Amino acid sequence: MGAHRKLGKISFLLALLLVMSGLMMMHLMLSRQGGLNPFTYMISFLDVIFHTRFIFFYVSAIKDRQNMQLHARYMAGTVLALLPPGLGRATALIPALTEGTLGLDVTYILLELTTIILIIDDKRKGKIYPPYVIAFFFFIFQHIALHFAAGWPIWQKLMNAFAAL
């Protein structure tokens, strides 16, 4: 338990570094030559939701550290939050999934199915805890919104301002 607590304290720095490096990569993507385009607007939207989800699950895990069931599921939620970028890149390696947003759609369907399986597993064990349900709705929101976010004028203005920093 002592090692777990020590690792938990180290995780404050690791989580901060993860979020900061992600924001720096997003800034780099948007500020490079030709970076402000529909694709980067969409990816930056996904990145912002990714960071929001990670922070939410991380802070919730720390807040509920006295409740082992919630703490464990919120920590699992941080792992779920980390999956979309890597899984999205993996689906992009499959030629049949490179058309438009098909690879991203497959990515989010896989993530939605994963959270449904986790919810069913909780139900089978006797109680559905909020973290997996919250993760499911984050994925659904992100999946639907990725098709529209690039065209939102307010989002474009926000990302243009972020790129100009």
Side-chain angles (χ1 to χ4, degrees), residues 8-9 16 22 24 29 32 35 45-46 49 51 77 89-90 97 103-104 106-107 128-130 133 135 145 147 150 153:
K9 289 177 182 169
L16 179 62
M24 289 169 54
M29 172 186 70
R32 71 174 184 239
F45 174 79
L46 296 177
I49 301 301
H51 284 92
R89 285 177 179 82
L97 300 179
L104 287 171
V106 169
T107 294
I128 296 175
Y129 292 90
V133 176
H147 294 280

Side-chain angles (χ1 to χ4, degrees), residues 41-106:
Y41 289 134
M42 178 187 64
I43 295 299
S44 64
F45 174 79
L46 296 177
D47 285 348
V48 167
I49 301 301
F50 154 77
H51 284 92
T52 302
R53 183 176 53 240
F54 177 81
I55 292 166
F56 170 79
F57 279 100
Y58 182 80
V59 168
S60 297
I62 299 306
K63 181 181 74 69
D64 286 318
R65 67 187 175 277
Q66 300 302 321
N67 181 329
M68 186 178 73
Q69 296 300 323
L70 281 175
H71 176 72
R73 283 167 177 79
Y74 279 122
M75 287 309 294
T78 65
V79 174
L80 289 170
L82 297 172
L83 292 176
L87 192 53
R89 285 177 179 82
T91 60
L93 297 174
I94 302 169
L97 300 179
T98 58
E99 185 67 33
T101 61
L102 185 58
L104 287 171
D105 289 324
V106 169

Side-chain angles (χ1 to χ4, degrees), residues 124-154:
R124 187 181 57 80
K125 291 176 182 173
K127 182 176 180 181
I128 296 175
Y129 292 90
Y132 298 145
V133 176
I134 294 167
F136 176 75
F137 284 109
F138 261 115
F139 287 137
I140 290 288
F141 170 72
Q142 205 168 7
H143 187 181
I144 292 168
L146 77 86
H147 294 280
F148 305 102
W152 295 337
I154 187 84

